[in-house]
Amino acid sequence: MNPVSFYSLLLWELRQLKRSQLLWTTIAGVSALLLIGLFNTASLHKQQTADQRNTQAKEASWMSEVRERAVRYARPAEGASLPYWQDPTDVAGFSRYYLLQHALKPQLPLSALAIGNSDLLPTRLPLKLDTPFGIAPVYDFEPPRGLSLGTFDTSFVIVYLLPLAIVLLLALLTTYEHDHGMLRLIASHTVTSRTWLSARVLAIAVWVVPAVLLAIVITLSVTGVALISAWGELFAALTLVLLYQLFWFALGYAVLARWQRGTGAAGTLVTSWAVLIIGIPLLINVIASIATPTPSRIQQIDAERRIDEALPREEDAVLAAMFRSRVDRVNAIERIPQLDYATLMTFLIPEIERRFSMLHEATAADQKRNQQLSDIAGYLVPSLGVESALATLAGTDNKRHQHFEQQTRQHQLKLREFFFPRVQREIATPTPKPLLSSYGRMNFTDYDSVPRFEMRDGNAQKRVSALLPTAACLLSLSILLFVTGYRNARQWPTDID
Amino acid sequence: MTFQLIRFEFTLLRHDRRAWGALCFFAALLLLSLASTALDISRSNHDKLAVASAERARWLGQSAKDPHSAAHQSIFVFKPAPALALLDLGIEPFVGQAVWLEAHTQHDMLYRPQGSPSVLQRAGLFSPASLLIGFAPLVACLLTYAVLARDRERGVWRLSVGTALSPARLVWTKFLVVWGAMNGLLVAPPALLALLWSVMLQQVSADLLLRLLAWTIAFTSYFAILVAVGFALSLRASSVRLSLAVGVGLWIIFALVLPRAISTTVQQLQPLPTTQSVKQQIVEQAPVYWSAETGADQQRQILKRYGATQKRDLAIDLRGAQLDLAERHSHDVFDRVLGGFYAQVVAQDHLFAWLAALSPAAVMHSVSTALAGTDFAHHHRFIIAAETYRRALVNRMNQEVMARPANHDGPRHLSDNSLWSQIDEFRFAAPPMQIALAVIAPSMAALAAWLLAALAIMSRVARKVRP
């Protein structure tokens, strides 16, 4: 009798599985959960985008109010007197009290794919000249209960629930014959254990993998994602999910090749899931937090306050040194006590930043170290790698946010370059007030010339290529597990003899 | 006889390497999480105490200055972690731990421990309670399989029931063994360690003991539900495969999917106003820097109130009165806008406590965080306490400015330590347990209902066991 070929057995298995209620119920369940996850993520990001539009609208209406005031304050008025901080036509007053700009981080087309840290990190940063290093410690309030429980998003379904569905399907659909004493009958035919098990596992994968990928594409389009504009990222995401599913199928294959019965296989696979997804991240996290504790933000507050407290005592000396260092200001040194607060700050801000720089660098170094550790863990633990990769494609990851913060900082420096010389020029060579009887100082009304922020994102190719190491790791682990399973499956189980 | 049976069943369980190994592994993970949480909390509390003390010293030791400048310099206050945060971190990693009590503004609480976590930090964040709630069902599933389902699979169960005087008693004995083992390894150690921790921190009080007791009872009840459902499934399912599959399926739905889904649904049903809109309302209704026109209007109001026609006629300082007027106006705005916003967050938690009835795991999330003092209701108490302190401080500073008129454009009055020391040190007393009960009453009722239902089902199934 000729041995049964793998191909013909696979076709037979595919036909049989097509009638499996369990298979289709599972696929339908995963698809429904994907839809819910996508809807939740999309609605959060839609809200954030609406907030950004509102912010822009408020900025515009604020500027139109400022312009109206400028017109009003240019006119002659009885007994006109106005402190500089109430005068938007005073360059110092405007720069500190009237400049209203926000750096906005727009959503990427595929943002619905993963919530990432978009529920924690701000999508709008206020731009103020005196914010140390440009980044105000602000955030958008999200319900903390939701943050602590975790949002039900697409990434949660793909990374956490999909593997469970796969391992349960594998455990139940490949051990039926073993549990019901039918494996002996199959073994008596001209089919090898490897061929039989491999065909069964592959047949399940052939139904599940494309169905899940299709479900992702359909649910993405249903939730209004412009797939064509993000085809590169979409293709990468689908490839990643494909590889992630292959990893779990490979793990299942390796476990099933030990020929446990259904309950034993399910127990082993679910335990493997728990160890990989819960145990190892928890363990690495605990070790990391013990070995390299994060610099205490509370202690940083203390350090900042000490610097803030010390500066006023040294302020006069610092300012005098700054004035002496410039020929055009050296003669204005005796005017320092009369300078307004906003003007003084144009000199003091760089000094404050210099004093804060060690704290800032320690925080940045800690963030970098955490990110590196997370990246390494992502190569070892597939769930972490995929979660991180999906967030990268969605643009909801920490790295993009850091990029956003760097650009915000650059823009702040640009604003300082714009305002500080104008403010400081008023010390030595004050602009004559055009009309002495008006409220306005009228030394700054060119509001359109103030630089505007616009975030520049790296191209999609860069985001996609960042995933290659994760994809390579997933593929390598899958191959390793397949080979292990293939080697172990060479003999039928002994308990059917 | 029953005691001997329990001992015998317990010995069998201990000899089951896989089941006992899973339980011990989980208990070890739990202790690891407990140790890590304890380390984080003790570091953070130590820093908070030290910096709060430094802040107080800075406040008292500040140089002579305009009281309004002092109100701007002001102080930072820090939220101490509740003693039982060791058991359940709840929302603590996601809410600010410090707030600056400055004049004019009710600042947000800043410096969230998980403000910008890496994927690893967020995925690996498990407090003991979240581990217990999320993964104890899986352990219960494995244990019930080990002590009952596998006996069915091997035919041992039929033999045991055939020789037992009362099959139902046999089922209950097994229930007690699994439930006892889970409580002994998973609830008792964290609860005892939490008690020890509280003693070390000198935070033991009747309120804390009651909270700890309630927390322990809640988790033992939760485990009773899990084990009862596991046994009922193992006894009723047509096959062992099916019982395990349904058990794992129920775990996925009830422990993994529903808590997140309910939380997200609550947000959809009662959405919060966005931060942007809240901030905008505050900026519009209580601007920190008022316009020339608003300033003139304020001055008119003050002059009218004090029956004066010009600044020089006032017995109080006009600038101080303006500051006071604006400050008190801002309090109304903060109460209305921010107070309303926070009330909505609390209302969301109330709704979550109601909807959590759909899943025992969701119920436990609500109950555990509230009893540990790590839910938003407790956090809100701190926000209120800090804001009350801020208002008292700023009002006192403004009164001082008002009381020293400098309306003739003379130099401003400078205050010194005699004023600073009139401001008491900020202290925050942990809110009483009633705060927790007010939120979680529906969840507690749901937990009791789940427990009764699960025990009733198991009892019914056990009664039907025949040789």
Side-chain angles (χ1 to χ4, degrees), chain B residues 95-400:
Chain B
V95 290
Q97 298 295 308
V99 61
W100 185 23
L101 307 180
E102 193 195 7
H104 308 311
T105 312
Q106 181 176 353
H107 284 292
D108 288 333
M109 288 195 64
L110 294 178
Y111 308 119
R112 300 173 297 169
Q114 291 273 321
S116 57
S118 66
V119 171
L120 172 66
Q121 284 174 313
R122 207 165 176 187
L125 178 73
F126 290 101
S127 65
S130 63
L131 274 177
L132 288 176
I133 296 167
F135 302 100
L138 189 59
V139 176
C141 204
L142 289 175
L143 292 180
T144 52
Y145 164 73
V147 303
L148 205 152
R150 194 161 52 198
D151 281 1
R152 272 187 75 194
E153 194 175 44
R154 291 172 176 168
V156 179
W157 176 242
R158 190 181 291 180
L159 192 69
S160 306
V161 169
T163 54
L165 285 175
S166 162
R169 181 183 284 182
L170 187 62
V171 174
W172 281 108
T173 306
K174 284 177 181 288
F175 169 86
L176 280 178
V177 166
V178 173
W179 183 59
M182 287 183 69
N183 285 323
L185 263 78
L186 304 180
V187 177
L192 288 173
L193 286 170
L195 182 62
L196 192 67
W197 167 262
S198 312
V199 171
M200 282 164 59
L201 296 179
Q202 299 179 326
Q203 287 189 1
V204 180
S205 63
D207 188 81
L208 182 131
L209 291 174
L210 270 176
R211 282 172 182 266
L212 188 58
L213 182 67
W215 188 91
T216 310
I217 292 171
F219 270 93
T220 51
S221 306
Y222 180 55
F223 286 0
I225 295 167
L226 301 178
V227 180
V229 170
F231 274 106
L233 271 176
S234 297
L235 288 168
R236 288 297 293 163
S238 58
S239 71
V240 177
R241 287 164 57 82
L242 187 64
S243 77
L244 192 70
V246 174
V248 174
L250 289 178
W251 163 62
I252 295 171
I253 294 168
F254 284 96
L256 298 184
V257 173
L258 275 177
R260 283 186 186 225
I262 292 170
S263 175
T264 313
T265 306
V266 166
Q267 173 64 6
Q268 308 280 356
L269 290 175
Q270 283 187 356
L272 293 176
T274 65
T275 303
Q276 189 272 337
S277 68
V278 170
K279 299 272 178 204
Q280 194 58 44
Q281 281 184 65
I282 290 173
V283 166
E284 284 166 4
Q285 295 177 31
V288 174
Y289 302 108
W290 51 80
S291 66
E293 291 82 351
T294 313
D297 187 48
Q298 284 172 349
Q299 290 184 2
R300 271 194 297 277
Q301 276 185 53
I302 293 162
L303 290 172
K304 191 175 167 192
R305 186 187 298 168
Y306 289 93
T309 50
Q310 54 180 337
K311 189 176 167 184
R312 288 164 186 274
D313 301 338
L314 280 171
I316 52 145
D317 183 72
L318 181 60
R319 173 177 151 265
Q322 262 186 289
L323 289 169
D324 188 62
L325 188 73
E327 197 68 38
R328 288 178 197 277
H329 168 72
S330 73
H331 296 167
D332 292 341
V333 174
F334 297 147
D335 286 341
R336 194 171 56 251
V337 179
L338 271 180
F341 177 75
Y342 290 138
Q344 281 178 276
V345 182
V346 175
Q348 270 201 349
D349 281 357
H350 277 282
L351 182 60
F352 180 82
W354 278 102
L355 293 181
L358 293 171
S359 149
V363 163
M364 287 307 295
H365 278 295
S366 174
V367 169
S368 175
T369 51
L371 291 175
T374 55
D375 63 347
F376 189 78
H378 287 77
H379 184 70
H380 190 209
R381 285 291 166 135
F382 179 84
I383 295 174
I384 293 171
E387 176 60 8
T388 307
Y389 183 82
R390 184 189 76 85
R391 290 180 188 183
L393 185 150
V394 175
N395 286 346
R396 181 68 194 89
M397 295 300 116
N398 286 342
Q399 279 169 8
E400 192 67 11

Side-chain angles (χ1 to χ4, degrees), chain A residues 231-260:
Chain A
W231 69 269
E233 290 102 315
L234 178 66
F235 180 73
L238 294 177
T239 309
L240 201 71
V241 177
L242 169 83
L243 290 172
Y244 189 53
Q245 291 186 83
L246 283 186
F247 166 79
W248 285 100
F249 273 102
L251 179 71
Y253 181 63
V255 169
L256 292 166
R258 291 167 62 202
W259 299 108
Q260 288 177 303

Side-chain angles (χ1 to χ4, degrees), chain B residues 70-88:
Chain B
H72 272 292
Q73 181 74 11
S74 194
I75 62 161
F76 268 91
V77 294
F78 305 92
K79 183 186 159 197
L84 295 185
L86 180 69
L87 295 173
D88 193 336

